Amino acid sequence: MAIRPIRLFGDPVLRTAAAPVTDFDKELRSLVADLTDTMVDAPGAGLAAPQIGIGLRVFTWHVEGVLGHLVNPELSLSEETQHGPEGCLSLPGLSLDCLRAQSVIARGFNMFGDPVTIEGTDLLARAIQHETDHLDGILFIDRLDREARKAAMRTIRESEWFGADTQVRISPHATGGFGL
Ligand code: ZN
């Protein structure tokens, strides 16, 4: 179990679709443990495997004191939406309002290969949508409208961390506990 460096915006792994997990083995359980440790240390409310450089469809969350993980998620989204602040551990210091479904039903597997269904609302729903996007190479800034996205890109380009060695730096700033 280890805290791994969090990959930052600009690292190609964050733009690459992750592969489904096929082996529910010891390596997978060790990946879930590393994701959990890294997320709690950051601290963040969620973390997806590509954010630590692993191209597998796995993520963890830590919302309202509850830790969870999901493998190979499939989401059903509510029509009702929520508009609120969102951040990302791979985009340190950025927090912007982002439109998401208000609730989500996520079907997938736990690290032992048992089928699980997670029902989430509010922040848990937001975290699950955000992390599932990571598995498809999508970042939350992609979900912003054009003007907000342009402003976000400006902030990113001006950030100290941007253009630094994205391979070895551990995310230096938490986004108020709402990093995902
Ligand atoms: Zn993120």
Side-chain angles (χ1 to χ4, degrees):
M1 314 320 105
I3 292 161
R4 309 259 204 112
I6 294 175
R7 305 299 181 94
L8 300 178
F9 179 83
D11 190 317
V13 73
L14 296 173
R15 288 308 197 179
T16 307
V21 169
T22 53
D23 298 324
F24 291 81
D25 54 10
K26 210 174 82 192
E27 281 70 34
L28 176 65
R29 292 190 282 282
S30 154
L31 170 59
V32 170
D34 286 358
L35 280 170
T36 303
D37 288 353
T38 305
M39 170 184 69
V40 168
D41 177 72
L47 193 65
Q51 292 180 278
I52 58 167
I54 308 291
L56 288 172
R57 302 187 77 80
V58 184
F59 63 77
T60 57
W61 65 86
H62 189 202
V63 174
E64 285 158 7
V66 180
L67 286 168
H69 72 277
L70 195 59
V71 179
N72 297 345
E74 301 284 346
L75 305 192
S76 304
L77 305 179
S78 66
E79 281 184 24
E80 195 190 342
T81 56
Q82 55 175 319
H83 197 243
E86 192 162 319
C88 179
L89 294 172
S90 296
L91 290 156
L94 207 64
S95 176
L96 294 161
D97 283 356
C98 184
L99 187 69
R100 294 286 188 182
Q102 173 64 26
S103 58
V104 61
I105 298 171
R107 292 185 177 83
F109 299 87
N110 67 17
M111 60 184 159
F112 304 103
D114 305 314
V116 291
T117 300
I118 308 294
E119 293 186 39
T121 57
D122 303 314
L123 181 58
L124 180 55
R126 182 177 292 280
I128 288 171
Q129 291 169 79
H130 180 112
E131 303 314 334
T132 302
D133 273 353
H134 272 304
L135 306 183
D136 295 322
I138 296 167
L139 299 172
F140 87 100
I141 52 170
D142 304 339
R143 301 270 184 202
L144 306 175
D145 65 41
R146 200 157 163 270
E147 282 309 303
R149 189 163 189 272
K150 274 169 71 179
M153 284 307 302
R154 212 157 34 236
T155 306
I156 290 165
R157 279 193 296 269
E158 288 164 2
S159 297
E160 264 177 53
W161 55 265
F162 184 62
D165 185 347
T166 56
Q167 304 301 312
V168 297
R169 289 193 60 180
I170 292 177
S171 169
H173 315 289
T175 51
F178 286 92
L180 295 161

